[in-house]
Amino acid sequence: MKYDFDEQIDRRGTGAYKLEQCEAVFGTADVQPLWVADMDFRTPDFILDAIRHRLEHPVLGYTVTPPAYYDCVVRWVRDRHGWDIRPEWMGFLAGIVPGLAHAVNAFTQPGDEVIVQPPVYPPFLHVPEKNGRRVVCNPLREADGRFEMDFDDLEARITPKTRLFILCNPHNPGGRTWDADTLRRLADICRRRGVLVLSDEIHADMALPGNRHIPFATVSEAAARNSLTYMAPSKTFNIPGLVSSFYVIPDPELRQRFAAYLDSSELNTPNIFAVVATLAAYTARGDEWRRQMLDYVQGNVDFVVAFCRERMPAVRPMVPQASFLVWLDFSACGLDSEALQHKMVHEAKVGLNQGTTFGAGGERHLRLNVACPRARLREALERMAAVLENGNVQ
Ligand SMILES: Cc1ncc(COP(=O)(O)O)c(C=O)c1O
C-alpha cells in the first residue's frame, strides 16, 4: 500500500497544541505553525481502525495490560534496533517528559546536579530545575555540520553532587544519531564517576535512510548496568496525544527502585488506547508505514537543504540523521535572536521554535518541523526567503 503524505488535513477545531498555542507563544495566531514536534500527516488508518474496533465494545472500564503488549514491544525493539530486551525489564510510562521528572525524583535529591547537553529539547532544562535540582550544562560543539560531545568539559563539570546525565539519543534538535564510540565513551565516564544515565530515545524509530539508531544500553556493560532508556511509538506514528511511552531498565536494582517509585503513585498503568495503538503500530504494517513516512520526511529535508542553498544562502540547515526537525542557523543573517523571531513571526508569518529556548548554543537559530505536506513546507520557506531578501542576507 502506498500512503499519501501530501494530503492536507485541517487540524482546526481539534485542540491542536500547535495551532491553539500560537497566540500565547508568538503573540499572534496568524502564523503557519511549524513548531511543536508532532506531524501534520494522518495518523495511520491501521491505528485509527484498531481504536475504532475497541470502541465497538461499550465498556471502557479498568483494564490490565495484556502480555501481548510486552511481547510486541520486545519484538519491535529487537527487530528495529537489535536490542534483546526482556519483558520484565520494561514498564509503561505515561509520557516521556513526565518520565524525566520521575527519574529525577526517583534517583536524585533536591540540590543534586543533573547534566544535560544544550542546545537540547527544552524540558531537559526545565524539568530538573522545576523539581529543585541544579541543571549543569555540558554544551555540544558543532563540527563538520554536526553536533559532537565535549568529553573534557563533561569530566570537568561532574562533581560529587552530580547524580544524573540526561542523554537525547537521537539528539533533538539537530537529529544526531550518536555513534557507538561516542556512547561507549559517555558510558565509561558516567559509570566511573557514579552518574546514572537516562537515555531519551523517543526519536529512535526515525533514523533517516542510510542512518542507524544505536540504543545507549547496547554499547557496553557499563551502559547497560547504569542506565534507563525511554522509548515510545508516539512520535513515529503521530499519536503523542494518546500518551504511550515505556521504559527499559536492564539492571535489576535500578529497575526495582524506579518501579517502586512509579508504583507508589500508580504512575505505571496505561490508558486503554495507548495499549491498542501500540499493538497496532508495532507490526509489519506499522514498519511499512514508518519507512514510507521517513522517505517522505527525507524528501522534505532534502527540499529544505536545496532551498536554503539556492534561495537563503545565509541560512545554514544542520542536516538531520534522524527525525523530522531541522535546526536552522541564521547567524549570517545579521539579526539577533529576538529580531530574527520577530521578523519570522510578524513579517513571514511562520511560527518556528525559537533557538534560545533550547539553551546555550540556540542563539540566532530556529527549529523547523518538516513533518508536513511538501506544499505547506514550500510555502513557509518562500515566505521566509521573501523577508530575508529584504536586505538581511549579508
Ligand atoms: C527528546 C524528546 N523527548 C520527549 C518528547 C515528548 O515526549 P512526551 O510527549 O512523551 O512527553 C519530545 C517531543 O518532542 C522529544 O523531542
Side-chain angles (χ1 to χ4, degrees), residues 102-135:
H102 302 331
V104 161
N105 287 307
F107 295 109
T108 74
Q109 297 295 318
D112 283 348
E113 292 165 359
V114 177
I115 301 194
V116 300
Q117 297 182 305
V120 73
Y121 179 55
F124 279 36
L125 301 159
H126 303 146
V127 169
E129 215 165 77
K130 285 182 189 168
N131 283 276
R133 274 57 170 182
R134 214 169 83 73
V135 172

PDB file of all heavy atoms in Angstrom, residues 102-135:
ATOM      1  N   HIS A 102      10.058  11.756  36.800  1.00  0.00           N
ATOM      2  CA  HIS A 102      10.066  10.566  37.654  1.00  0.00           C
ATOM      3  C   HIS A 102      11.501  10.099  37.922  1.00  0.00           C
ATOM      4  O   HIS A 102      11.841   9.721  39.043  1.00  0.00           O
ATOM      5  CB  HIS A 102       9.272   9.427  37.005  1.00  0.00           C
ATOM      6  CG  HIS A 102       7.843   9.775  36.712  1.00  0.00           C
ATOM      7  ND1 HIS A 102       7.126  10.685  37.465  1.00  0.00           N
ATOM      8  CD2 HIS A 102       6.994   9.346  35.745  1.00  0.00           C
ATOM      9  CE1 HIS A 102       5.903  10.794  36.965  1.00  0.00           C
ATOM     10  NE2 HIS A 102       5.801   9.998  35.929  1.00  0.00           N
ATOM     11  N   ALA A 103      12.329  10.111  36.881  1.00  0.00           N
ATOM     12  CA  ALA A 103      13.723   9.676  37.073  1.00  0.00           C
ATOM     13  C   ALA A 103      14.459  10.634  38.000  1.00  0.00           C
ATOM     14  O   ALA A 103      15.213  10.212  38.889  1.00  0.00           O
ATOM     15  CB  ALA A 103      14.432   9.590  35.727  1.00  0.00           C
ATOM     16  N   VAL A 104      14.219  11.934  37.791  1.00  0.00           N
ATOM     17  CA  VAL A 104      14.858  12.944  38.655  1.00  0.00           C
ATOM     18  C   VAL A 104      14.475  12.692  40.115  1.00  0.00           C
ATOM     19  O   VAL A 104      15.319  12.687  41.010  1.00  0.00           O
ATOM     20  CB  VAL A 104      14.440  14.370  38.200  1.00  0.00           C
ATOM     21  CG1 VAL A 104      14.683  15.403  39.285  1.00  0.00           C
ATOM     22  CG2 VAL A 104      15.174  14.746  36.921  1.00  0.00           C
ATOM     23  N   ASN A 105      13.195  12.444  40.348  1.00  0.00           N
ATOM     24  CA  ASN A 105      12.729  12.274  41.733  1.00  0.00           C
ATOM     25  C   ASN A 105      13.093  10.916  42.325  1.00  0.00           C
ATOM     26  O   ASN A 105      13.315  10.800  43.534  1.00  0.00           O
ATOM     27  CB  ASN A 105      11.222  12.509  41.811  1.00  0.00           C
ATOM     28  CG  ASN A 105      10.906  13.994  41.671  1.00  0.00           C
ATOM     29  OD1 ASN A 105      11.469  14.821  42.396  1.00  0.00           O
ATOM     30  ND2 ASN A 105      10.068  14.346  40.719  1.00  0.00           N
ATOM     31  N   ALA A 106      13.158   9.892  41.474  1.00  0.00           N
ATOM     32  CA  ALA A 106      13.483   8.557  41.988  1.00  0.00           C
ATOM     33  C   ALA A 106      14.971   8.397  42.290  1.00  0.00           C
ATOM     34  O   ALA A 106      15.343   7.644  43.187  1.00  0.00           O
ATOM     35  CB  ALA A 106      13.046   7.498  40.983  1.00  0.00           C
ATOM     36  N   PHE A 107      15.825   9.108  41.529  1.00  0.00           N
ATOM     37  CA  PHE A 107      17.258   8.827  41.637  1.00  0.00           C
ATOM     38  C   PHE A 107      18.107   9.990  42.141  1.00  0.00           C
ATOM     39  O   PHE A 107      19.325   9.855  42.245  1.00  0.00           O
ATOM     40  CB  PHE A 107      17.798   8.368  40.273  1.00  0.00           C
ATOM     41  CG  PHE A 107      17.216   7.058  39.816  1.00  0.00           C
ATOM     42  CD1 PHE A 107      16.314   6.993  38.766  1.00  0.00           C
ATOM     43  CD2 PHE A 107      17.570   5.875  40.461  1.00  0.00           C
ATOM     44  CE1 PHE A 107      15.771   5.783  38.358  1.00  0.00           C
ATOM     45  CE2 PHE A 107      17.038   4.652  40.061  1.00  0.00           C
ATOM     46  CZ  PHE A 107      16.128   4.614  39.006  1.00  0.00           C
ATOM     47  N   THR A 108      17.504  11.147  42.380  1.00  0.00           N
ATOM     48  CA  THR A 108      18.306  12.276  42.874  1.00  0.00           C
ATOM     49  C   THR A 108      17.574  12.964  44.021  1.00  0.00           C
ATOM     50  O   THR A 108      16.382  12.734  44.223  1.00  0.00           O
ATOM     51  CB  THR A 108      18.581  13.329  41.759  1.00  0.00           C
ATOM     52  OG1 THR A 108      17.382  14.076  41.516  1.00  0.00           O
ATOM     53  CG2 THR A 108      19.027  12.686  40.458  1.00  0.00           C
ATOM     54  N   GLN A 109      18.299  13.789  44.731  1.00  0.00           N
ATOM     55  CA  GLN A 109      17.735  14.552  45.851  1.00  0.00           C
ATOM     56  C   GLN A 109      17.703  16.040  45.480  1.00  0.00           C
ATOM     57  O   GLN A 109      18.494  16.474  44.641  1.00  0.00           O
ATOM     58  CB  GLN A 109      18.631  14.403  47.094  1.00  0.00           C
ATOM     59  CG  GLN A 109      18.738  12.984  47.617  1.00  0.00           C
ATOM     60  CD  GLN A 109      17.400  12.472  48.122  1.00  0.00           C
ATOM     61  OE1 GLN A 109      16.665  13.202  48.779  1.00  0.00           O
ATOM     62  NE2 GLN A 109      17.082  11.225  47.781  1.00  0.00           N
ATOM     63  N   PRO A 110      16.818  16.808  46.126  1.00  0.00           N
ATOM     64  CA  PRO A 110      16.843  18.260  45.876  1.00  0.00           C
ATOM     65  C   PRO A 110      18.262  18.801  46.092  1.00  0.00           C
ATOM     66  O   PRO A 110      18.937  18.399  47.044  1.00  0.00           O
ATOM     67  CB  PRO A 110      15.866  18.812  46.929  1.00  0.00           C
ATOM     68  CG  PRO A 110      14.923  17.676  47.170  1.00  0.00           C
ATOM     69  CD  PRO A 110      15.752  16.421  47.052  1.00  0.00           C
ATOM     70  N   GLY A 111      18.683  19.676  45.184  1.00  0.00           N
ATOM     71  CA  GLY A 111      20.025  20.242  45.280  1.00  0.00           C
ATOM     72  C   GLY A 111      21.062  19.453  44.497  1.00  0.00           C
ATOM     73  O   GLY A 111      22.148  19.957  44.213  1.00  0.00           O
ATOM     74  N   ASP A 112      20.762  18.210  44.128  1.00  0.00           N
ATOM     75  CA  ASP A 112      21.696  17.429  43.312  1.00  0.00           C
ATOM     76  C   ASP A 112      21.813  18.032  41.916  1.00  0.00           C
ATOM     77  O   ASP A 112      20.944  18.783  41.461  1.00  0.00           O
ATOM     78  CB  ASP A 112      21.219  15.972  43.182  1.00  0.00           C
ATOM     79  CG  ASP A 112      21.504  15.151  44.440  1.00  0.00           C
ATOM     80  OD1 ASP A 112      22.262  15.637  45.312  1.00  0.00           O
ATOM     81  OD2 ASP A 112      20.959  14.031  44.541  1.00  0.00           O
ATOM     82  N   GLU A 113      22.873  17.615  41.229  1.00  0.00           N
ATOM     83  CA  GLU A 113      23.114  18.156  39.881  1.00  0.00           C
ATOM     84  C   GLU A 113      22.742  17.155  38.793  1.00  0.00           C
ATOM     85  O   GLU A 113      22.994  15.953  38.917  1.00  0.00           O
ATOM     86  CB  GLU A 113      24.589  18.528  39.738  1.00  0.00           C
ATOM     87  CG  GLU A 113      24.974  19.703  40.620  1.00  0.00           C
ATOM     88  CD  GLU A 113      26.469  19.880  40.787  1.00  0.00           C
ATOM     89  OE1 GLU A 113      27.235  19.072  40.229  1.00  0.00           O
ATOM     90  OE2 GLU A 113      26.861  20.825  41.476  1.00  0.00           O
ATOM     91  N   VAL A 114      22.143  17.703  37.756  1.00  0.00           N
ATOM     92  CA  VAL A 114      21.727  16.901  36.595  1.00  0.00           C
ATOM     93  C   VAL A 114      22.396  17.514  35.366  1.00  0.00           C
ATOM     94  O   VAL A 114      22.278  18.720  35.132  1.00  0.00           O
ATOM     95  CB  VAL A 114      20.193  16.939  36.435  1.00  0.00           C
ATOM     96  CG1 VAL A 114      19.760  16.168  35.197  1.00  0.00           C
ATOM     97  CG2 VAL A 114      19.497  16.394  37.682  1.00  0.00           C
ATOM     98  N   ILE A 115      23.103  16.680  34.595  1.00  0.00           N
ATOM     99  CA  ILE A 115      23.814  17.211  33.426  1.00  0.00           C
ATOM    100  C   ILE A 115      22.997  17.003  32.151  1.00  0.00           C
ATOM    101  O   ILE A 115      22.441  15.926  31.920  1.00  0.00           O
ATOM    102  CB  ILE A 115      25.203  16.549  33.257  1.00  0.00           C
ATOM    103  CG1 ILE A 115      26.045  16.808  34.510  1.00  0.00           C
ATOM    104  CG2 ILE A 115      25.906  17.046  32.004  1.00  0.00           C
ATOM    105  CD1 ILE A 115      27.520  16.514  34.356  1.00  0.00           C
ATOM    106  N   VAL A 116      22.932  18.055  31.333  1.00  0.00           N
ATOM    107  CA  VAL A 116      22.283  17.979  30.023  1.00  0.00           C
ATOM    108  C   VAL A 116      23.199  18.638  28.986  1.00  0.00           C
ATOM    109  O   VAL A 116      24.146  19.346  29.353  1.00  0.00           O
ATOM    110  CB  VAL A 116      20.897  18.664  30.026  1.00  0.00           C
ATOM    111  CG1 VAL A 116      19.960  18.003  31.025  1.00  0.00           C
ATOM    112  CG2 VAL A 116      21.004  20.156  30.309  1.00  0.00           C
ATOM    113  N   GLN A 117      22.892  18.390  27.708  1.00  0.00           N
ATOM    114  CA  GLN A 117      23.775  18.868  26.640  1.00  0.00           C
ATOM    115  C   GLN A 117      23.054  19.843  25.703  1.00  0.00           C
ATOM    116  O   GLN A 117      22.496  19.439  24.684  1.00  0.00           O
ATOM    117  CB  GLN A 117      24.299  17.668  25.841  1.00  0.00           C
ATOM    118  CG  GLN A 117      25.159  16.738  26.690  1.00  0.00           C
ATOM    119  CD  GLN A 117      25.722  15.585  25.880  1.00  0.00           C
ATOM    120  OE1 GLN A 117      24.988  14.852  25.243  1.00  0.00           O
ATOM    121  NE2 GLN A 117      27.033  15.428  25.912  1.00  0.00           N
ATOM    122  N   PRO A 118      23.058  21.124  26.032  1.00  0.00           N
ATOM    123  CA  PRO A 118      22.407  22.083  25.151  1.00  0.00           C
ATOM    124  C   PRO A 118      23.236  22.347  23.886  1.00  0.00           C
ATOM    125  O   PRO A 118      24.441  22.114  23.908  1.00  0.00           O
ATOM    126  CB  PRO A 118      22.332  23.353  26.008  1.00  0.00           C
ATOM    127  CG  PRO A 118      23.489  23.239  26.946  1.00  0.00           C
ATOM    128  CD  PRO A 118      23.701  21.767  27.190  1.00  0.00           C
ATOM    129  N   PRO A 119      22.588  22.803  22.800  1.00  0.00           N
ATOM    130  CA  PRO A 119      21.157  23.063  22.749  1.00  0.00           C
ATOM    131  C   PRO A 119      20.382  21.755  22.776  1.00  0.00           C
ATOM    132  O   PRO A 119      20.742  20.819  22.065  1.00  0.00           O
ATOM    133  CB  PRO A 119      20.972  23.796  21.419  1.00  0.00           C
ATOM    134  CG  PRO A 119      22.154  23.423  20.588  1.00  0.00           C
ATOM    135  CD  PRO A 119      23.273  23.162  21.527  1.00  0.00           C
ATOM    136  N   VAL A 120      19.305  21.726  23.562  1.00  0.00           N
ATOM    137  CA  VAL A 120      18.576  20.473  23.761  1.00  0.00           C
ATOM    138  C   VAL A 120      17.094  20.739  23.988  1.00  0.00           C
ATOM    139  O   VAL A 120      16.700  21.846  24.404  1.00  0.00           O
ATOM    140  CB  VAL A 120      19.212  19.681  24.937  1.00  0.00           C
ATOM    141  CG1 VAL A 120      18.886  20.303  26.284  1.00  0.00           C
ATOM    142  CG2 VAL A 120      18.811  18.210  24.916  1.00  0.00           C
ATOM    143  N   TYR A 121      16.288  19.721  23.723  1.00  0.00           N
ATOM    144  CA  TYR A 121      14.844  19.742  23.937  1.00  0.00           C
ATOM    145  C   TYR A 121      14.544  20.435  25.282  1.00  0.00           C
ATOM    146  O   TYR A 121      14.993  19.964  26.335  1.00  0.00           O
ATOM    147  CB  TYR A 121      14.363  18.292  23.925  1.00  0.00           C
ATOM    148  CG  TYR A 121      12.893  18.106  24.144  1.00  0.00           C
ATOM    149  CD1 TYR A 121      11.956  18.744  23.334  1.00  0.00           C
ATOM    150  CD2 TYR A 121      12.429  17.267  25.153  1.00  0.00           C
ATOM    151  CE1 TYR A 121      10.604  18.552  23.537  1.00  0.00           C
ATOM    152  CE2 TYR A 121      11.073  17.069  25.356  1.00  0.00           C
ATOM    153  CZ  TYR A 121      10.166  17.722  24.551  1.00  0.00           C
ATOM    154  OH  TYR A 121       8.831  17.543  24.749  1.00  0.00           O
ATOM    155  N   PRO A 122      13.809  21.563  25.258  1.00  0.00           N
ATOM    156  CA  PRO A 122      13.704  22.428  26.443  1.00  0.00           C
ATOM    157  C   PRO A 122      13.319  21.745  27.767  1.00  0.00           C
ATOM    158  O   PRO A 122      13.866  22.121  28.813  1.00  0.00           O
ATOM    159  CB  PRO A 122      12.667  23.478  26.017  1.00  0.00           C
ATOM    160  CG  PRO A 122      12.822  23.559  24.527  1.00  0.00           C
ATOM    161  CD  PRO A 122      13.155  22.169  24.069  1.00  0.00           C
ATOM    162  N   PRO A 123      12.414  20.727  27.784  1.00  0.00           N
ATOM    163  CA  PRO A 123      12.108  20.116  29.085  1.00  0.00           C
ATOM    164  C   PRO A 123      13.322  19.488  29.793  1.00  0.00           C
ATOM    165  O   PRO A 123      13.299  19.317  31.018  1.00  0.00           O
ATOM    166  CB  PRO A 123      11.070  19.040  28.732  1.00  0.00           C
ATOM    167  CG  PRO A 123      10.378  19.603  27.526  1.00  0.00           C
ATOM    168  CD  PRO A 123      11.484  20.265  26.732  1.00  0.00           C
ATOM    169  N   PHE A 124      14.392  19.178  29.052  1.00  0.00           N
ATOM    170  CA  PHE A 124      15.597  18.657  29.716  1.00  0.00           C
ATOM    171  C   PHE A 124      16.148  19.708  30.682  1.00  0.00           C
ATOM    172  O   PHE A 124      16.745  19.381  31.701  1.00  0.00           O
ATOM    173  CB  PHE A 124      16.682  18.327  28.683  1.00  0.00           C
ATOM    174  CG  PHE A 124      16.522  17.005  27.987  1.00  0.00           C
ATOM    175  CD1 PHE A 124      15.277  16.504  27.664  1.00  0.00           C
ATOM    176  CD2 PHE A 124      17.640  16.255  27.642  1.00  0.00           C
ATOM    177  CE1 PHE A 124      15.135  15.285  27.007  1.00  0.00           C
ATOM    178  CE2 PHE A 124      17.514  15.032  26.994  1.00  0.00           C
ATOM    179  CZ  PHE A 124      16.260  14.554  26.671  1.00  0.00           C
ATOM    180  N   LEU A 125      15.951  20.984  30.314  1.00  0.00           N
ATOM    181  CA  LEU A 125      16.433  22.074  31.162  1.00  0.00           C
ATOM    182  C   LEU A 125      15.437  22.378  32.271  1.00  0.00           C
ATOM    183  O   LEU A 125      15.809  22.581  33.420  1.00  0.00           O
ATOM    184  CB  LEU A 125      16.655  23.341  30.316  1.00  0.00           C
ATOM    185  CG  LEU A 125      17.657  23.206  29.157  1.00  0.00           C
ATOM    186  CD1 LEU A 125      17.432  24.286  28.119  1.00  0.00           C
ATOM    187  CD2 LEU A 125      19.085  23.280  29.687  1.00  0.00           C
ATOM    188  N   HIS A 126      14.134  22.390  31.922  1.00  0.00           N
ATOM    189  CA  HIS A 126      13.118  22.871  32.873  1.00  0.00           C
ATOM    190  C   HIS A 126      12.705  21.844  33.902  1.00  0.00           C
ATOM    191  O   HIS A 126      12.452  22.183  35.054  1.00  0.00           O
ATOM    192  CB  HIS A 126      11.842  23.303  32.123  1.00  0.00           C
ATOM    193  CG  HIS A 126      12.115  24.347  31.103  1.00  0.00           C
ATOM    194  ND1 HIS A 126      11.429  24.432  29.920  1.00  0.00           N
ATOM    195  CD2 HIS A 126      13.028  25.338  31.086  1.00  0.00           C
ATOM    196  CE1 HIS A 126      11.902  25.431  29.210  1.00  0.00           C
ATOM    197  NE2 HIS A 126      12.873  25.994  29.893  1.00  0.00           N
ATOM    198  N   VAL A 127      12.604  20.571  33.486  1.00  0.00           N
ATOM    199  CA  VAL A 127      12.042  19.572  34.396  1.00  0.00           C
ATOM    200  C   VAL A 127      12.920  19.378  35.644  1.00  0.00           C
ATOM    201  O   VAL A 127      12.408  19.461  36.768  1.00  0.00           O
ATOM    202  CB  VAL A 127      11.751  18.242  33.660  1.00  0.00           C
ATOM    203  CG1 VAL A 127      11.429  17.131  34.633  1.00  0.00           C
ATOM    204  CG2 VAL A 127      10.597  18.433  32.679  1.00  0.00           C
ATOM    205  N   PRO A 128      14.230  19.158  35.479  1.00  0.00           N
ATOM    206  CA  PRO A 128      15.043  19.025  36.700  1.00  0.00           C
ATOM    207  C   PRO A 128      14.989  20.295  37.555  1.00  0.00           C
ATOM    208  O   PRO A 128      14.870  20.233  38.778  1.00  0.00           O
ATOM    209  CB  PRO A 128      16.461  18.781  36.171  1.00  0.00           C
ATOM    210  CG  PRO A 128      16.273  18.280  34.780  1.00  0.00           C
ATOM    211  CD  PRO A 128      15.033  18.951  34.265  1.00  0.00           C
ATOM    212  N   GLU A 129      15.012  21.449  36.872  1.00  0.00           N
ATOM    213  CA  GLU A 129      15.002  22.729  37.582  1.00  0.00           C
ATOM    214  C   GLU A 129      13.710  22.906  38.384  1.00  0.00           C
ATOM    215  O   GLU A 129      13.732  23.271  39.563  1.00  0.00           O
ATOM    216  CB  GLU A 129      15.110  23.835  36.554  1.00  0.00           C
ATOM    217  CG  GLU A 129      15.904  25.034  36.989  1.00  0.00           C
ATOM    218  CD  GLU A 129      16.245  25.858  35.761  1.00  0.00           C
ATOM    219  OE1 GLU A 129      15.353  26.566  35.253  1.00  0.00           O
ATOM    220  OE2 GLU A 129      17.399  25.744  35.302  1.00  0.00           O
ATOM    221  N   LYS A 130      12.576  22.605  37.741  1.00  0.00           N
ATOM    222  CA  LYS A 130      11.283  22.763  38.422  1.00  0.00           C
ATOM    223  C   LYS A 130      11.150  21.790  39.581  1.00  0.00           C
ATOM    224  O   LYS A 130      10.290  21.966  40.450  1.00  0.00           O
ATOM    225  CB  LYS A 130      10.137  22.528  37.434  1.00  0.00           C
ATOM    226  CG  LYS A 130       9.907  23.671  36.471  1.00  0.00           C
ATOM    227  CD  LYS A 130       8.715  23.340  35.580  1.00  0.00           C
ATOM    228  CE  LYS A 130       8.561  24.347  34.460  1.00  0.00           C
ATOM    229  NZ  LYS A 130       7.621  23.891  33.443  1.00  0.00           N
ATOM    230  N   ASN A 131      11.957  20.739  39.563  1.00  0.00           N
ATOM    231  CA  ASN A 131      11.925  19.772  40.661  1.00  0.00           C
ATOM    232  C   ASN A 131      13.038  20.032  41.681  1.00  0.00           C
ATOM    233  O   ASN A 131      13.386  19.137  42.466  1.00  0.00           O
ATOM    234  CB  ASN A 131      12.002  18.343  40.107  1.00  0.00           C
ATOM    235  CG  ASN A 131      10.658  17.899  39.540  1.00  0.00           C
ATOM    236  OD1 ASN A 131       9.787  17.440  40.264  1.00  0.00           O
ATOM    237  ND2 ASN A 131      10.456  18.090  38.245  1.00  0.00           N
ATOM    238  N   GLY A 132      13.597  21.227  41.628  1.00  0.00           N
ATOM    239  CA  GLY A 132      14.557  21.639  42.660  1.00  0.00           C
ATOM    240  C   GLY A 132      15.957  21.085  42.505  1.00  0.00           C
ATOM    241  O   GLY A 132      16.741  21.078  43.448  1.00  0.00           O
ATOM    242  N   ARG A 133      16.303  20.614  41.301  1.00  0.00           N
ATOM    243  CA  ARG A 133      17.673  20.149  41.065  1.00  0.00           C
ATOM    244  C   ARG A 133      18.440  21.226  40.307  1.00  0.00           C
ATOM    245  O   ARG A 133      17.848  22.097  39.673  1.00  0.00           O
ATOM    246  CB  ARG A 133      17.675  18.859  40.231  1.00  0.00           C
ATOM    247  CG  ARG A 133      17.521  17.582  41.035  1.00  0.00           C
ATOM    248  CD  ARG A 133      16.288  17.545  41.869  1.00  0.00           C
ATOM    249  NE  ARG A 133      16.026  16.252  42.464  1.00  0.00           N
ATOM    250  CZ  ARG A 133      14.968  15.965  43.206  1.00  0.00           C
ATOM    251  NH1 ARG A 133      14.064  16.898  43.477  1.00  0.00           N
ATOM    252  NH2 ARG A 133      14.796  14.774  43.706  1.00  0.00           N
ATOM    253  N   ARG A 134      19.771  21.122  40.360  1.00  0.00           N
ATOM    254  CA  ARG A 134      20.596  22.097  39.664  1.00  0.00           C
ATOM    255  C   ARG A 134      20.967  21.537  38.290  1.00  0.00           C
ATOM    256  O   ARG A 134      21.526  20.422  38.212  1.00  0.00           O
ATOM    257  CB  ARG A 134      21.863  22.371  40.474  1.00  0.00           C
ATOM    258  CG  ARG A 134      22.347  23.804  40.358  1.00  0.00           C
ATOM    259  CD  ARG A 134      23.422  24.097  41.380  1.00  0.00           C
ATOM    260  NE  ARG A 134      24.740  23.671  40.924  1.00  0.00           N
ATOM    261  CZ  ARG A 134      25.436  24.288  39.979  1.00  0.00           C
ATOM    262  NH1 ARG A 134      24.956  25.377  39.393  1.00  0.00           N
ATOM    263  NH2 ARG A 134      26.621  23.833  39.620  1.00  0.00           N
ATOM    264  N   VAL A 135      20.644  22.279  37.250  1.00  0.00           N
ATOM    265  CA  VAL A 135      20.964  21.814  35.898  1.00  0.00           C
ATOM    266  C   VAL A 135      22.360  22.301  35.523  1.00  0.00           C
ATOM    267  O   VAL A 135      22.666  23.492  35.614  1.00  0.00           O
ATOM    268  CB  VAL A 135      19.927  22.340  34.881  1.00  0.00           C
ATOM    269  CG1 VAL A 135      20.351  22.037  33.454  1.00  0.00           C
ATOM    270  CG2 VAL A 135      18.571  21.709  35.168  1.00  0.00           C
TER     271      VAL A 135
END
